[in-house]
Amino acid sequence: MLLYDAPSPAPNPRRVRIYLAEKGLSVPMQSLSILAGEHKSADFVAKYPAGQLPVLELDDGRMIGETIAICRYFEALHPDPPLFGTDPAHIAEIEMWIRRVELTYGSAIRNIWIHTHPLTARVVKQQYTEFGESNRPLAHAAMMVFDTALRKTAYLAGDSYSMADIALLSTLDFGQFIGVPIPDEAEALKAWHERVSARPSASA
């Protein structure tokens, strides 16, 4: 198999790398430059029409895209240590928080990145700056929801580190890269961020 990757600060490829590091798994990788558009080249799109990263090419030629799908594939092969939950309720809680990270905070960060950042101005046809800026309060509100949860538990989905934490860490760090800091009042979120950033996998 081969994992098509991209270097930091790209959050989605990093999410898979953190997961693999937590699992202690080594997977062959090929790094592509998003800014250079290598994932949109004719050869790559012919192989994977979505033209997105990361994507996992299996030995039989099948291509598995989307970060959570890739990580679930490896979770099925290597269930220990469990990062997607250990019982029905825990599995559901982790899934709930992953979706909240992606659909609330992640969507806001994506819109801010696409429509306000100078790097994306070079690759998108048109930026709608006012729309992008309108997502900052949404990102703030989402972070405060995470902060509220982390005032009650050590990790996002309970007392153990999970895929939900990986999803949040990778997206939160990208948010800070594009100028969306963790709110000063989000003390629990800041403490969580310091803890999970100290894990060896965070440097993946």
Side-chain angles (χ1 to χ4, degrees):
M1 67 176 66
L2 180 63
L3 178 65
Y4 291 93
D5 184 40
S8 293
N12 290 334
R14 182 182 175 220
R15 185 182 293 185
V16 175
R17 293 197 305 272
I18 293 174
Y19 172 87
L20 293 172
E22 286 286 338
K23 287 285 189 176
L25 298 176
S26 179
V27 176
M29 297 186 189
Q30 180 177 333
S31 184
L32 301 179
S33 171
I34 292 176
L35 288 180
E38 291 180 346
H39 61 310
K40 300 296 185 183
S41 69
D43 288 345
F44 187 75
V45 171
K47 178 175 288 195
Y48 185 57
Q52 296 174 332
L53 296 171
V55 61
L56 178 67
E57 182 176 10
L58 302 182
D59 292 339
D60 63 6
R62 283 182 291 176
M63 308 289 280
I64 300 177
E66 308 300 335
T67 60
I68 300 303
I70 293 170
C71 293
R72 284 194 178 280
Y73 172 81
F74 286 112
E75 188 80 2
L77 293 175
H78 307 278
D80 294 316
L83 291 174
F84 280 92
T86 55
D87 60 61
H90 193 211
I91 291 169
E93 286 179 313
I94 292 170
E95 185 70 23
M96 174 185 74
W97 283 112
I98 290 172
R99 291 183 64 79
R100 287 179 177 175
V101 169
E102 293 183 332
L103 298 177
T104 59
Y105 181 69
S107 293
I109 291 301
R110 180 179 183 274
N111 288 330
I112 294 167
W113 163 243
I114 290 174
H115 293 291
T116 72
H117 203 277
L119 284 177
T120 51
R122 300 178 349 203
V123 295
V124 299
K125 292 182 179 180
Q126 184 173 358
Q127 286 185 312
Y128 297 93
T129 306
E130 185 176 345
F131 169 69
E133 292 295 340
S134 73
N135 280 267
R136 291 186 185 274
L138 301 178
H140 181 278
M143 285 188 281
M144 295 312 298
V145 170
F146 303 140
D147 180 73
T148 298
L150 289 164
R151 291 177 186 273
K152 302 174 184 177
T153 58
Y155 297 100
L156 197 53
D159 294 329
S160 60
Y161 185 85
S162 75
M163 192 67 212
D165 298 287
I166 296 173
L168 181 56
L169 175 63
S170 58
T171 314
L172 199 67
D173 283 348
F174 185 72
Q176 294 188 95
F177 169 75
I178 66 171
V180 184
I182 301 173
D184 289 338
E185 64 270 31
E187 295 178 357
L189 180 59
K190 283 191 167 187
W192 168 90
H193 183 260
E194 184 175 349
R195 280 198 315 278
V196 296
S197 295
R199 297 174 75 93
S201 64
S203 62

